[in-house]
Amino acid sequence: METKKVKIAVIGFGVVGSGVAKILQKNAEEITHKTGLQLKLAHVVDMDLVRPRPVTLPEGILHNDLEKVLSDDEVSIAVELVGGTEIAAEIQKKLLAAGKDVVTANKALLAERGEEIFETARQYNRCVSFEASCCGGIPVVSAIRTGLTANRISTMYGIVNGTCNYILSEMTESGKEYEVALKEAQAAGFAEADPTLDVNGSDSAHKLAILGLLAYGQKINYPDISTNGIENIQLTDIHYGKEMGYAMKLLAIAEQTDAGLSLRVHPSFINGHEPLAQASGPFNAVSIFGDAVGHTSYYGRGAGMMPTASAVVADIIDVARGNAQRVFDATPALGYITEPTVICQPEEIVSRFYLRLTVVDQPGVFAQIANVLGERKISISACLQHESKSDDRVPVVIMTHLARQGDMNKALEDMDKLDIVKEETICIHIVTPPKDG
Ligand code: HSE
C-alpha cells in the first residue's frame, strides 16, 4: 500500500503538545504500518520558545508565528492546545478559515462556545475533532458517537476529572488533607493551568456538555448544568461514608427523567461494590446505559501528557483517513440548530441522600430529626452515631431512601432551624446506578 504524507501543525507547546510531539516521533513507524499515513510535524507554535520541554524538536519547527501555519498550504491538520475560551476561539476560527481541519483538547471552548466553532467549520467545509477533550486517553467520544449511536441512552455517569478523583482517592485511602492532595495532583500534571476549574466541577461540566451533546444529539446549554465541586468536602464525611460502605466520587451525570434531561455535576457517594467506586487515583471511568446495549463502561487514564496526547493523535489519524469529516458532516448537533433540550430542574431530581447533622446530645433529638424528614416524606435507610468526645455536640449521620431534591432542600431548611442542630447540615447525594438486565 502506498503511504500518504500528512503535514501537521501544533498550536500550544505545553504538557499535551509535548506529548503529541513525543508520540509522533516515537511511534511514527507503528502508525505508518497500521494506517499507511506518514504524519509529519511541520510547525509547533508557542509564545515561549525557551522553556525546556520533555521532547526535542527538529531544528526550525518551533516558532511563535501562527501566520506561518495559516499560509502553509501543505498543512491540512492543525491541533489547538492553547486552552481557554478567547484566544483559542480566534485561533480555531482562523485555522478553519485557512482550510485546516482542527483537532483539539479544549473542552471549555467546545462546551461554552461550541456552536460558533462548529458553525465556522461547516462554513469552510472543515471538521473539528475533540476526542482528547473528554477523559484523556479513553476513547469515550468515539464510543458514544459511533458504537452507541443506535441506543436511547437513559443515564450516563462519569468520573471525568482526574484531579478530583486523585484528591478524593488520596483523602479516602491515605487520610490526606484536601490541600496536600491537590498540590500532588498539580505536580503530577493532571490539573488544569487554573485548578479552580477542576475542583469547582467546571471541567467535569464542560466534559458533560460535550458527551451529552453526542449522547442525546442536542446542543447542551452549558449554564443548564447544575455544578458543585469538591472544594468543601471534609475528610470526616469521606470517613463516615467509607464506614457505611460508600466511596466518594465527583460524578458528572446525565439522566433522562420524566421532568426532562437532568445534567449535573456533584460529589456523590457510590456503594463500594459498584464498578465506578473502584476507579481511583487519576483514572477516569464512564458508565453508560443504553436501551439496546445495556450497561457499558469505559475506564482509563483521563488526564496527563501521554494519555491526552494519545487521543489527539488518534484524532489526527481519523482526520487524515477521512473518517472525521464524514462523521462530523453526519452529526446534526455539531453546528446545526437543534431543538432546545427540556432540562429537569435540580429540585425535581430524585436521589438518595447522606446527611451529617451536628446536634446536642440529649433525649428526643432523633425524634425531632425523624419528624422533619417524615413531614417531607423522606424515609431513613440507615443512621450512625458514635459516642461523642465533646460534652455538648455529637455528629449524627443519616442515609435516606429516594427523595425529591426539592423536598430534601425544604427538610434541610427546617432541620437547621431546630435548636438542637448546632451547625449547618452537610448533605451529599448517594448515587445508585441502574441494575443491568
Ligand atoms: N484537568 C483535567 C483532569 C485533565 O484533571 O482530569 C484534562 O481534562
Side-chain angles (χ1 to χ4, degrees):
M1 178 177 160
E2 226 176 275
T3 58
K4 176 180 160 194
K5 284 202 180 76
V6 180
K7 277 176 94 175
I8 297 149
V10 169
I11 324 299
F13 194 26
V15 174
V16 180
S18 303
V20 171
K22 270 192 178 190
I23 293 179
L24 292 179
Q25 288 176 3
K26 183 170 157 279
N27 292 356
E29 271 182 37
E30 175 79 18
I31 291 169
T32 307
H33 175 68
K34 286 197 293 208
T35 67
L37 298 167
Q38 279 186 49
L39 304 179
K40 184 170 175 349
L41 191 54
H43 302 264
V44 176
V45 183
D46 200 285
M47 300 310 284
D48 184 344
L49 303 178
V50 293
R51 188 172 82 237
R53 268 84 169 192
V55 62
T56 309
L57 298 175
E59 199 63 29
I61 289 198
L62 178 63
H63 59 82
N64 56 11
D65 187 1
L66 183 67
E67 291 302 323
K68 279 192 195 166
V69 175
L70 300 176
S71 60
D72 186 341
D73 291 337
E74 290 184 6
V75 170
S76 56
I77 302 172
V79 184
E80 182 274 301
L81 296 171
V82 172
T85 55
E86 299 299 325
I87 296 169
E90 292 318 305
I91 292 174
Q92 286 201 19
K93 287 198 238 172
K94 281 184 184 170
L95 292 166
L96 291 164
K100 323 290 180 204
D101 291 314
V102 167
V103 170
T104 185
N106 192 335
K107 58 257 160 185
L109 175 59
L110 297 187
E112 295 181 28
R113 297 176 60 182
E115 207 169 18
E116 187 184 329
I117 299 297
F118 300 136
E119 270 173 20
T120 310
R122 297 230 179 254
Q123 189 185 341
Y124 294 101
N125 283 321
R126 306 274 34 110
C127 64
V128 180
S129 300
F130 45 88
E131 182 66 70
S133 66
C134 298
C135 305
I138 311 173
V140 66
V141 164
S142 123
I144 295 176
R145 186 148 69 171
T146 53
L148 299 179
T149 331
N151 288 263
R152 179 179 189 274
I153 291 176
S154 59
T155 44
M156 193 159 68
Y157 300 92
I159 297 170
V160 295
N161 186 275
T163 301
C164 290
N165 206 37
Y166 179 86
I167 293 172
L168 293 175
S169 303
E170 288 297 306
M171 289 172 83
T172 308
E173 287 156 25
S174 313
K176 282 186 190 154
E177 289 297 340
Y178 170 87
E179 290 296 341
V180 174
L182 170 58
K183 284 211 172 73
E184 286 177 3
Q186 283 178 282
F190 312 134
E192 297 299 297
D194 173 4
T196 315
L197 295 179
D198 293 299
V199 297
N200 72 9
S202 305
D203 179 79
S204 297
H206 287 144
K207 293 166 183 166
L208 182 61
I210 295 168
L211 297 179
L213 177 152
L214 297 172
Y216 300 102
Q218 299 278 1
K219 172 183 179 282
I220 303 290
N221 192 22
Y222 173 70
D224 284 342
I225 301 176
S226 149
T227 305
N228 288 295
I230 63 165
E231 313 104 305
N232 299 319
I233 290 297
Q234 297 175 37
L235 258 179
T236 187
D237 294 305
I238 291 185
H239 288 156
Y240 281 126
K242 194 173 170 184
E243 191 176 338
M244 296 173 97
Y246 290 80
M248 184 178 289
K249 300 288 170 193
L250 182 70
L251 288 190
I253 300 174
E255 183 183 17
Q256 298 270 21
T257 75
D258 293 342
L261 181 63
S262 167
L263 294 164
R264 54 195 205 267
V265 172
H266 53 63
S268 316
F269 278 121
I270 317 179
N271 190 302
H273 298 303
E274 292 289 344
L276 279 175
Q278 320 289 327
S280 63
F283 284 85
N284 283 190
V286 182
S287 273
I288 302 176
F289 295 79
D291 61 350
V293 71
H295 179 200
T296 62
S297 64
Y298 308 87
Y299 171 83
R301 293 186 184 276
M305 176 165 64
M306 298 313 280
T308 312
S310 158
V312 169
V313 177
D315 267 350
I316 293 173
I317 293 168
D318 206 41
V319 175
R321 282 170 152 169
N323 292 336
Q325 185 73 55
R326 278 195 293 273
V327 177
F328 187 83
D329 287 345
T331 308
L334 300 175
Y336 291 118
I337 306 294
T338 53
E339 287 293 310
T341 317
V342 178
I343 294 294
C344 169
Q345 295 308 310
E347 300 72 42
E348 298 305 325
I349 69 157
V350 174
S351 175
R352 294 184 62 209
F353 293 94
Y354 160 103
L355 305 175
R356 176 167 57 83
L357 296 97
T358 304
V359 294
V360 293
D361 202 358
Q362 66 184 37
V365 165
F366 261 104
Q368 289 191 53
I369 298 166
N371 191 38
V372 169
L373 292 171
E375 275 175 6
R376 301 287 173 193
K377 307 225 168 353
I378 299 171
S379 168
I380 295 173
S381 68
C383 59
L384 172 80
Q385 179 185 337
H386 289 305
E387 286 192 342
S388 171
K389 293 191 191 86
S390 127
D391 286 342
D392 57 343
R393 287 175 184 207
V394 63
V396 168
V397 173
I398 291 176
M399 290 193 167
T400 76
H401 287 294
L402 288 174
R404 235 183 105 253
Q405 169 92 60
D407 293 333
M408 179 51 81
N409 292 348
K410 291 202 182 105
L412 286 167
E413 256 177 51
D414 294 347
M415 248 175 326
D416 286 354
K417 280 189 205 139
L418 296 173
D419 287 342
I420 53 153
V421 174
K422 293 299 173 195
E423 285 176 23
E424 193 180 335
T425 297
I426 303 294
C427 176
I428 297 167
H429 291 83
I430 302 172
V431 168
T432 315
K435 291 279 163 265
D436 183 25

